[in-house]
Amino acid sequence: MPDLVTLTRQGEIAVVTIDNPPVNALSPGVPEALQAAIESAAGDGPVRAIVVIGAGRTFIAGADIREFIKIVAGQRPRIALLPFLLAIEDCHKPVVMAIHGAALGGGLETAMAGHYRVIAPSAQVGQPEVNLGIIPGAGGTQRLPRLAGITKALEMCSLGEPVRAPEALALGIADRIIEGDLLAGAVAFAREIAGAPAPKTRERNEKLRDFGAGVFEAARERARHSRRGQTAPLAAIDAVEAATRLPFEEGCRREAELFNQCLFSTQSKALIHVFFAERAASRIPDVPKETPVAEIRRAAVIGAGTMGGGIAMTYANAGIPVLLKEVSQEALDRGLDVVRRNYANSVKKGKLSQAAMEQRMALITPQLTYDGFAETDLIVEAVFEGMAVKKQVFSEIDRIARPGCILASNTSYLNIDAIASATGRAEMVVGHHFFSPANVMRLLEIVRGRATSPTVLATSMALARRLNKIAVLAGNAPGFIGNRMLGPYRREAEFLLEEGAPVEQVNQALHDFGMPMGPLAMLDLAGLDVGWRVRQEFRHLEKPGVRRPLVADRLCEMGRFGQKTGRGWSRYDENRRPSPDPEVAALIEEAARQAGIARRAISDEEVIDRSILALVNEGARLLEEGIALRAGDIDIVYINGYGFPAWRGGPMCYADTVGLRTVLDRIQEFEERHGPELWSPAPLLKRLAESGETFGSYDARSGK
Ligand code: ZOZ
Ligand code: NAD
């Protein structure tokens, strides 16, 4: 194994290189070796200054996150990074930290313990710990305000967003941007400052008094709003505030207390699970890393409706030229208009420059023909949701597309194999199920057909990354992962209404649980007609005699399609603000009366359990059927496609947190009350609960 840290010399400058691939995390051994190398350089007479640099793609990405899992599980004692950093800062020769890639978390804390920081123009620095449910734990909340000021430190530590090199320079986090060769520039910088006094960050107190009244309360307000339900952002603010009241050492002690509280919290466990689940999702066990990946230089989208327009934007945003085909000029104009308006809104909000908007618009070629389709590497179909029209489109593109062109469908529910049967190349057909709005939502379900080739799957995964999406592989079953689970979730929401819970209570309880909106508000936003059409398509699969929701179809028959018609489960004003609709309440009551459903007061706890455990039970079935490869994949789908709170880890992780035995007991109560057709526990859930295991430890491939 190569050394984690090496020490070399360039004349009077010592160069310490950290080499712990892939991201130079501060795994056990790294801080020790770093300190030893710096001490050795400090003791080396002719050395006048020391440069610390990362080998490979990045400086230091932070603490080794896997270590946190072991510490919390009691398998490893807590190692404190702070003493190592104090030793670096106390080195009597100046230490220059040379940053490329990223200096994040413990990486930025290490960089701030140096006396100077030089940075590559594309590098970024940040304290993203709140994304893992923790706060900086090695003095970051005490050193960052001393360099960047209180306001910016509050923002960076509580929201977790990194800043790029130019801003880091302007803020005083970095001392110089080095264009070209970073090591050469850092060594030259070290020669310049060698001999001058080495400033210690922890002694620079001048920026600590410079903050406006109410800055902490404002930061708390913003964190409560943008990170609703999360505890770490508030702890990070407390820690930064401590920097203004306490000397450095005491501030660090306060930070350590808060860090520990966060590290041992359920939220941190959930968010760390999400970090690794996101990365695991791109791995497909029988599609090895070496599988060839096709290059996607040009793409085409068919259908410029709600989804097609957003998908075309997604390609243009990634710099990939895309043809956008429609059936009529009117539909094409309408679709393009929406695209233009979306970009214009981003320009108005300052998120995009006018020039970038023009560039992106120029990458989208609107057309009514298949001209140019023969030169594309991938075609995505996003026409109406109906098997006949999908097959028609696929047989047309099969005739035109070049061999090797990937044919993707954005269908929400339909069978990919049936769609592929309209072509003579089923191996090239795959589902690319984007979520609405496609240019915003990060999830992409990659649906694997019976014949889909490994290259098509590997290319889809790589492409998703380029499109800035998180891809999850799903098997080919109606609704794939996300929409299939949505079925029971929606069903329970509507049953709860029939049994006596008002629309507003159901929405509010799930909002308070952490969902961005309640289920009925979500249905109103998506359009009630969408589900209505799907139900008509799948009516033949409904089991006779099994209870099904009574009111949704009636609302649609009345033309109440949700927000777009101003009426759905709620009533909406011209600003799309909802209010209760007595007409709907009466309709629900009447439907319940006719069906003989007894109405009662329902607790918020029941609303949450029935809704969320319906997701969990269906998720367990998907896992057992192999439609989802891992419980973590299901969590990633629900977090990124439906806004499930990441700090609860996704539905399957949430169930593990509650305890599968408790989950099973509750589901069995529901089974007794509502019948086995609706609530029989998934066999996998039962097995895991009875053997004291978790979804997280279940291996779908071996079934163990
Ligand atoms: O990977 C991207 C990233 O953002 N990483 C996480 C950065 C982060 O959150 N850092 C803060 C860590 S917490 C911390 O540092 C607390 C603190 O204050 C210290 C307190 C001290 C307490 C001491 C107690 C021990 C990054 C931007 C860096 C790179 O993105 P890419 O897209 O290029 O690459 P990825 O994300 O696919 O990652 C490549 C592989 O590296 C693994 N990895 C990344 N960061 C890691 C890490 N593994 C452990 N620890 C980290 N910090 C990642 O899982 C992936 O692995 P594979 O196996 O999937 O390839
Ligand atoms: P939409 O009705 O908004 O758009 C469909 C567009 O396809 C229309 O503009 C129509 O003119 C066009 N079209 C129909 N036949 C065509 C053809 N032969 N050639 C070119 N264009 C044609 O529908 P949508 O909501 O964008 O849905 C499209 C697909 O995406 C469906 O399969 C749907 O299930 C799926 N989907 C929808 C959502 C959503 O929330 N709307 C989310 C995920 C997936």
Side-chain angles (χ1 to χ4, degrees):
M1 206 177 105
D3 287 340
L4 293 170
V5 175
T6 52
L7 173 61
T8 55
R9 280 239 327 248
Q10 292 198 10
E12 293 175 313
I13 306 301
V15 176
V16 174
T17 306
I18 303 163
D19 191 5
N20 183 28
V23 292
N24 293 327
L26 295 164
S27 318
V30 175
E32 292 86 342
L34 178 60
Q35 188 192 344
I38 289 177
E39 271 170 10
S40 168
D44 186 354
V47 167
R48 299 184 65 220
I50 302 159
V51 167
V52 176
I53 194 163
R57 64 212 246 201
T58 190
F59 184 66
I60 301 172
D64 186 335
I65 300 167
R66 287 182 203 281
E67 290 299 308
F68 291 140
I69 300 174
K70 295 179 194 154
I71 292 168
V72 172
Q75 295 161 354
R76 178 106 63 195
R78 235 207 102 191
I79 325 137
L81 183 59
L82 191 61
F84 296 104
L85 302 189
L86 290 172
I88 294 174
E89 200 171 32
D90 286 338
C91 177
H92 65 280
K93 292 181 183 175
V95 178
V96 177
M97 300 288 180
I99 302 166
H100 73 298
L104 299 175
L108 177 55
E109 290 172 309
T110 304
M112 291 190 295
H115 306 106
Y116 299 94
R117 284 148 296 280
V118 297
I119 188 165
S122 59
Q124 50 179 346
V125 303
Q127 300 285 177
E129 287 87 343
V130 287
N131 297 324
L132 301 169
I134 55 177
I135 67 166
T141 61
Q142 308 302 298
R143 281 201 177 88
L144 189 57
R146 287 170 159 85
L147 292 180
I150 294 293
T151 309
K152 195 64 196 182
L154 277 173
E155 188 185 311
M156 288 175 69
C157 293
S158 67
L159 303 180
E161 291 291 326
V163 298
R164 300 211 160 265
E167 194 179 354
L169 180 71
L171 289 167
I173 300 173
D175 300 293
R176 185 175 297 173
I177 293 183
I178 306 279
E179 307 277 349
D181 187 309
L182 178 65
L183 179 58
V187 169
F189 181 90
R191 288 205 174 99
E192 275 174 45
I193 51 89
K200 293 182 187 180
T201 306
R202 69 176 194 269
E203 290 173 0
R204 293 168 61 173
N205 295 335
E206 61 279 13
K207 287 191 178 176
L208 292 181
R209 283 175 290 276
D210 184 18
F211 57 89
V215 62
F216 298 106
E217 221 16 74
R220 287 189 180 95
E221 201 43 49
R222 183 179 51 197
R224 279 190 203 104
H225 178 73
S226 68
R227 290 190 166 255
R228 188 164 58 91
Q230 299 186 37
T231 48
L234 297 171
I237 295 167
D238 289 351
V240 174
E241 188 174 15
T244 65
R245 289 190 280 101
L246 303 173
F248 180 81
E249 289 70 18
E250 281 181 47
C252 286
R253 271 199 291 279
R254 177 72 188 127
E255 179 195 76
E257 271 168 29
L258 291 161
F259 174 86
N260 267 324
Q261 283 166 17
C262 290
L263 183 63
F264 287 88
S265 70
T266 313
Q267 292 197 2
S268 161
K269 211 169 158 189
L271 285 162
I272 289 177
H273 157 75
V274 172
F275 178 85
F276 287 113
E278 237 179 57
R279 282 154 183 83
S282 62
R283 289 194 271 273
I284 308 173
D286 61 339
V287 178
K289 264 213 307 261
E290 311 71 55
T291 307
V293 171
E295 206 188 327
I296 306 296
R297 285 155 304 195
R298 278 178 291 269
V301 175
I302 307 179
T306 311
M307 294 308 288
I311 297 170
M313 286 175 78
T314 303
Y315 275 89
N317 294 348
I320 303 173
V322 59
L323 310 174
L324 180 59
K325 179 189 179 292
E326 255 295 345
V327 275
S328 73
Q329 190 62 46
E330 197 196 341
L332 191 58
D333 291 346
R334 202 172 40 232
L336 216 63
D337 223 47
V338 175
V339 169
R340 197 172 297 112
R341 244 182 301 138
N342 281 338
Y343 277 138
N345 269 338
S346 299
V347 172
K348 218 187 290 166
K349 288 185 195 150
K351 289 186 182 162
L352 191 71
S353 71
Q354 187 66 37
M357 166 174 169
E358 301 308 334
Q359 262 168 13
R360 291 182 194 190
M361 285 303 294
L363 285 172
I364 303 175
T365 308
Q367 58 190 60
L368 296 174
T369 65
Y370 282 120
D371 284 357
F373 271 57
E375 282 83 55
T376 61
D377 304 305
L378 187 147
I379 302 172
V380 195
E381 163 279 310
V383 304
F384 301 126
E385 183 79 343
M387 187 52 86
V389 59
K390 301 264 189 212
K391 279 190 167 175
Q392 173 65 34
V393 167
F394 271 77
S395 76
E396 286 169 16
I397 54 179
D398 186 37
R399 284 198 291 276
I400 297 155
R402 64 169 186 78
C405 177
I406 295 176
L407 310 182
S409 172
N410 183 47
T411 177
S412 308
Y413 287 88
L414 300 174
N415 186 329
I416 293 293
D417 292 333
I419 295 174
S421 72
T423 73
R425 44 172 127 179
E427 73 285 359
M428 298 310 294
V429 178
V430 65
H432 279 188
H433 183 218
F434 289 83
F435 286 68
S436 182
N439 53 311
V440 177
M441 298 299 286
R442 287 202 71 207
L443 181 65
L444 177 60
E445 280 184 337
I446 308 280
V447 187
R448 181 180 199 161
R450 201 183 309 121
T452 310
S453 81
T455 288
V456 168
L457 294 174
T459 305
S460 298
M461 285 292 171
L463 173 69
R465 221 177 143 104
R466 212 171 138 200
L467 298 179
N468 195 23
K469 300 288 176 202
I470 299 173
V472 172
L473 189 79
N476 181 25
F480 317 122
I481 297 176
N483 283 340
R484 166 141 158 214
M485 285 166 69
L486 198 59
Y489 179 71
R490 168 200 154 246
R491 176 196 80 196
E492 287 307 311
E494 294 182 36
F495 284 172
L496 286 159
L497 302 181
E498 293 166 12
E499 290 163 35
V503 169
E504 295 67 36
Q505 183 195 356
V506 174
N507 279 337
Q508 190 64 46
L510 284 150
H511 177 266
D512 292 348
F513 175 80
M515 300 299 289
M517 61 182 87
L520 303 153
M522 180 188 74
L523 291 166
D524 275 352
L525 177 69
L528 299 184
D529 52 323
V530 177
W532 191 31
R533 274 204 213 101
V534 173
R535 288 195 291 281
Q536 281 159 358
E537 183 103 19
F538 287 96
R539 193 120 286 166
H540 61 284
L541 295 181
E542 280 171 6
K543 291 193 197 118
V546 177
R547 177 180 174 191
R548 60 186 178 85
L550 302 168
V551 184
D553 288 355
R554 289 212 205 150
L555 293 179
C556 290
E557 284 153 17
M558 293 160 74
R560 302 182 63 120
F561 292 162
Q563 284 200 17
K564 59 181 146 185
T565 56
R567 278 155 192 259
W569 288 105
S570 300
R571 196 183 281 185
Y572 295 87
D573 67 14
E574 57 289 357
N575 297 318
R576 303 196 161 207
R577 261 195 310 259
S579 58
D581 192 334
E583 200 182 341
V584 174
L587 199 68
I588 296 168
E589 248 178 73
E590 178 54 21
R593 197 188 56 75
Q594 279 182 16
I597 298 167
R599 296 191 34 101
R600 61 197 165 90
I602 292 177
S603 68
D604 288 350
E605 189 198 353
E606 180 176 347
V607 171
I608 290 166
D609 284 356
R610 281 184 52 190
S611 308
I612 302 298
L613 300 190
L615 283 179
V616 171
N617 205 26
E618 197 64 25
R621 289 186 206 282
L622 283 169
L623 204 51
E624 191 156 43
E625 290 166 23
I627 304 300
L629 285 176
R630 317 166 181 90
D633 286 5
I634 297 175
D635 290 332
I636 294 305
V637 165
Y638 258 78
I639 290 166
N640 295 287
Y642 304 85
F644 196 98
W647 52 271
R648 290 197 189 267
M652 309 312 277
C653 175
Y654 170 73
D656 280 345
T657 316
V658 170
L660 295 191
R661 185 71 250 180
T662 309
V663 167
L664 178 63
D665 288 348
R666 192 78 169 129
I667 287 181
Q668 283 172 331
E669 263 178 55
F670 296 148
E671 182 185 22
E672 240 166 66
R673 209 181 317 145
H674 303 281
E677 294 87 357
L678 299 171
W679 275 106
S680 72
L684 175 65
L685 167 64
K686 215 162 166 213
R687 210 174 76 218
L688 294 177
E690 282 164 358
S691 57
E693 288 167 90
T694 61
F695 287 126
S697 59
Y698 172 73
D699 178 354
R701 263 205 302 173
S702 65
K704 288 186 188 130

